[in-house]
């Protein structure tokens, strides 16, 4: 059974710091891995998607890496800003009988202090 | 493009009642999945609909049921509501033939009192 774990559960940093969020998964047979941002009480905003054949993806100040063999992904946020404060969710997508579904971690709650 | 839209945004129901949540997929998408997100947890897969049929179901009781219409929109129905059904319900849409990622709506916050 696929399980996704995110460490740390919460993080508080001063503005300007570079930070790393970690995600681990137990089964390497994934279709892709995706990082989402969620503001309180809101839906999910996709940040980065990494296909299983890729090693990393970058978007602006965000960089996500994927190591399938070790079952790990990291989300790197450069020069953090108060507007980055949110919960960050990692999800792996896998297929079962042709149906794709996401399996999510419990998230990392990030607070960036001004 | 309106993206994935869900209605209503908030809902308060009493234990034992029934509720229907609605989802309109992103334009061009034909597959709808529903997720339940309890407070402080990651979303959990409920079920997925394609061609008006339930394709796969997560570990949820039969009180949770759904429907997909010919225009690809979908409903999630929950009967005999329990306090533990209080959660954010998220709808995600995708296109089955090029299924690289799904797009999520803003969710419906259900509170059962």
């Amino acid at each position: 059974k696929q399980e996704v774990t995110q460490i740390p559960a919460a993080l508080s940093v001063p503005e300007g710091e570079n930070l790393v969020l970690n995600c681990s998964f137990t089964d390497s047979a994934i279709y892709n891995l995706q990082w989402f941002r969620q503001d309180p009480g809101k839906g999910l905003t996709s940040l980065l998607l990494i296909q299983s054949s890729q090693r990393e993806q970058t978007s602006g100040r965000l960089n996500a890496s994927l190591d399938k063999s070790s079952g790990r992904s990291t989300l790197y946020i450069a020069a953090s800003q108060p507007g980055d404060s949110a919960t960050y969710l990692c999800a792996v997508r896998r297929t079962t009988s042709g149906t794709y579904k996401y399996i999510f971690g419990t998230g990392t709650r990030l607070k960036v202090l001004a | 493009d309106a993206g994935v839209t869900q209605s209503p945004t908030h809902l308060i129901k009493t234990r034992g009642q029934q509720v229907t949540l609605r989802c309109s997929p992103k334009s061009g998408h034909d597959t709808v999945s529903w997720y339940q997100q309890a407070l402080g947890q990651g979303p959990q897969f409920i079920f997925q609909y394609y061609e008006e049929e339930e394709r796969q179901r997560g570990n949820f009781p039969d009180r949770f049921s759904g429907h997909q219409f010919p225009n690809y929109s979908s409903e999630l129905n929950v009967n005999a509501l329990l306090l533990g059904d209080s959660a954010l319900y998220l709808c995600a849409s995708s296109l089955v033939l090029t299924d690289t990622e799904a797009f999520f709506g803003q969710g419906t916050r259900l509170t059962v009192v």
Side-chain angles (χ1 to χ4, degrees), chain A residues 31-32 38 93 99-100 102, chain B residues 35 37 48 99-102:
Chain A
Y31 184 63
N32 58 37
Q38 186 174 35
R93 200 135 186 254
T99 301
Y100 295 87
Y102 286 100
Chain B
Y35 291 79
Q37 186 179 22
Q48 182 180 91
D99 201 345
T100 55
E101 68 175 302

Side-chain angles (χ1 to χ4, degrees), chain A residues 99-113:
Chain A
T99 301
Y100 295 87
K101 68 177 185 182
Y102 286 100
I103 299 170
F104 286 86
T106 53
T108 294
R109 294 187 311 279
L110 173 65
K111 186 168 186 178
V112 181
L113 306 170

Side-chain angles (χ1 to χ4, degrees), chain A residues 31-32 34 36 38 41-46 49 51 89 93 96-102 104-106, chain B residues 33 35 37 40-45 48 55-56 88 90 94 96 99-102 104-107 109:
Chain A
Y31 184 63
N32 58 37
Q34 199 161 354
F36 294 90
Q38 186 174 35
K42 303 296 185 182
L44 306 182
T45 300
S46 177
L49 181 150
Q51 299 292 350
L89 291 160
R93 200 135 186 254
T96 305
S97 302
T99 301
Y100 295 87
K101 68 177 185 182
Y102 286 100
F104 286 86
T106 53
Chain B
S33 302
Y35 291 79
Q37 186 179 22
Q41 301 296 314
Q44 299 287 319
F45 177 77
Q48 182 180 91
R55 299 182 79 196
Q56 189 182 1
L88 181 68
L90 296 163
S94 57
V96 71
D99 201 345
T100 55
E101 68 175 302
F104 284 81
Q106 289 301 296
R109 169 70 64 186

Side-chain angles (χ1 to χ4, degrees), chain B residues 2 4 8 13 18 38 46 58 60 77-78 85-86 95:
Chain B
V4 180
K13 289 286 189 179
Q18 179 263 345
I46 303 175
F60 280 81
N77 301 292
V78 187
D85 295 331
S86 295
L95 181 61

